[in-house]
Amino acid sequence: MKQKEQAKGESTLRDSFRSKTGFIIACIGSAVGMGNIWMFPYRTGQFGGAAFLIPYFLFVVILGFSGVAGEMAFGRSQGTGPLGAFSNAVKMRGKRGGRIIGVIPVVGSLGIAIGYSVVVGWFLKYLYDSITGSLFTAPDTAALFGSIAGNFGSVGWHMLGLALTFLVMIFGISKGIEKVNKVMMPLFFLFFIILMVRVFTLDNAGAGYEYLFVPDWQCLLDVRTWVYALGQAFFSLSLAGSGTIVYGSYLKKDTDIISCARNVAFFDTCAALLAGLVIIPAVFAFGQDVASGPPLMFITLPEVFQQMPLGQFFAIVFFVAVLFAAITSLMNLFETPIEALQSQFGLSRKIAVGIVALIAVAVGLFIENADMVSVWMDVVSIYIIPLGALLAAVMFFWVCPKGFARAQVQLGRQKPIGRWFEPMCKYLFVGLTLAVYILGIFFGGIG
């Protein structure tokens, strides 16, 4: 009888990251995505080059040491994702209803993942076209993108992206997500360093470096510079009250969370700067528009590769690296609803993955064109994602008992946390998160 009970206990043990390094790399993988590669380069140039970097770095430090650390610690303290964590936090106050509130970040994470998966399909198609050479025989890159971004224009590639992602996720945290991130993230940085070196040798690339690093100090007097720097830092660090909480729930108790958060913020910023050092000088070198916005990735850059010596090789390297960043982010986003089905409904890993996969396919096909994806992503990122992050911050720093947040962040850390912790987390971080939510609605999105 005891043997059966022991076997049952072992079979229901919660999966976890095998090492602190694996956890950090997975969190970096969740953070490094389109916010770094696509949005950061043209936002930086749009709002004063190096002048934009000053508030951006400031907000990364603040959000990293408060928000990222807080979400990690919240998840670890409860050993579950948003549904269970919110429920437990409210119960500490003798109340109910936390689980219902926790649905918001879960829905936000699933929603953004569904839209993101369509874009992953586009990356796969561009990688295929780079390998076959058809990207370089296309006379019009805008028409090429239009052919896959229309209604049901990339269903096969969309489904392939989902299949690759869920195939990894079936294997769980340590054998799936952790292992794949340990391969994809180092290769992402290696490939972008190769691209950075190549771009440095291009004629006229100097104008791009000037655009990126010579400050227009007047921009610091423009409130939009600060607003968009805050939004860029917030979304780049993957603060949503969902994925980071879930990854934190798989973290061991003896891990220093402050150290983890610092590393995630540092490498996420490195990824953004690398993307800027690749994309901006390359676009300038060939006389293209770096501030072209959404067309930058799928219309402007393909034109650059068409004109670049050895462009086919570097296009392949670029789209492989971007695909790695996209898939590691997508795994984090889908893990939130998968974990919710496992922890709250007692479903097996395979069944939970299957249910989320079916939802992703059904809804994803419904939004299978560029216009629908854009609207879908805007709605989720403006109205749901920041609200989820705000609710998580309130739950951990305000609803949980006094001193609880400090104790949980201190757990596994030898050096005592300074007096800065409560003011930065309870007031500054929660206030900034509220600002992101309100300003996002006012400006129509700031990430």
Side-chain angles (χ1 to χ4, degrees), residues 47 80 104 155 208 210 212 239 244 247 265 272 275 277 279 284 330 348 363 371 445:
F47 292 104
T80 184
I104 293 173
V155 172
E210 182 178 351
L212 180 61
L239 290 168
T244 305
Y247 275 11
L277 287 169
I279 294 172
F284 267 88
L330 199 57
S348 69
V363 180
D371 291 338

Side-chain angles (χ1 to χ4, degrees), residues 315-330:
I316 293 170
V317 172
F318 177 79
F319 284 111
V320 167
V322 170
L323 183 64
F324 284 175
I327 287 179
T328 53
S329 294
L330 199 57

Side-chain angles (χ1 to χ4, degrees), residues 124-347:
L124 282 166
K125 179 63 166 65
Y126 271 75
L127 175 59
Y128 175 80
D129 286 349
S130 299
I131 294 171
T132 61
S134 58
L135 180 66
F136 300 88
T137 58
D140 186 349
T141 57
L144 175 66
F145 179 60
S147 67
I148 68 169
N151 291 330
F152 307 110
S154 60
V155 172
W157 299 106
H158 178 189
M159 295 302 105
L160 178 59
L162 286 173
L164 292 172
T165 303
F166 288 122
L167 179 63
V168 173
M169 301 190 75
I170 285 176
F171 290 95
I173 304 303
S174 57
K175 294 181 180 179
I177 292 174
E178 183 174 357
K179 279 189 175 181
V180 169
N181 271 283
K182 280 184 174 179
V183 174
M184 286 187 172
M185 274 297 98
L187 286 177
F188 167 84
F189 281 98
L190 174 62
F191 289 167
F192 259 81
I193 289 171
I194 292 171
L195 290 166
M196 180 185 68
V197 173
R198 175 65 184 98
V199 168
F200 182 76
T201 66
L202 293 174
D203 294 335
N204 303 318
Y209 296 117
E210 182 178 351
Y211 182 84
L212 180 61
F213 290 121
V214 175
D216 178 0
W217 297 115
Q218 287 293 116
C219 287
L220 286 176
L221 301 177
D222 186 349
V223 68
R224 294 179 304 163
T225 301
W226 294 82
V227 168
Y228 282 98
L230 172 59
Q232 180 67 39
F234 186 89
F235 289 104
S236 180
L237 290 171
S238 197
L239 290 168
S242 54
T244 305
I245 290 179
V246 171
Y247 275 11
S249 74
Y250 300 125
L251 186 60
K252 295 177 180 178
K253 299 291 186 182
D254 60 353
T255 302
D256 183 346
I257 276 180
I258 295 289
S259 172
C260 290
R262 181 177 60 242
N263 283 314
V264 170
F266 174 76
F267 284 104
D268 178 69
T269 303
C270 288
L273 289 173
L274 265 178
L277 287 169
V278 169
I279 294 172
I280 291 178
V283 170
F284 267 88
F286 294 99
Q288 300 295 326
D289 182 12
V290 73
S292 57
L296 177 66
M297 186 72 69
F298 299 105
I299 298 176
T300 306
L301 282 176
E303 289 182 359
V304 169
F305 289 126
Q306 286 179 346
Q307 300 174 63
M308 182 186 294
L310 296 178
Q312 182 173 6
F313 170 75
F314 289 106
I316 293 170
V317 172
F318 177 79
F319 284 111
V320 167
V322 170
L323 183 64
F324 284 175
I327 287 179
T328 53
S329 294
L330 199 57
M331 288 190 297
N332 175 265
L333 292 168
F334 277 129
E335 182 61 24
T336 300
I338 289 171
E339 187 278 340
L341 290 175
Q342 286 187 270
S343 65
Q344 302 301 310
F345 298 96
L347 301 180

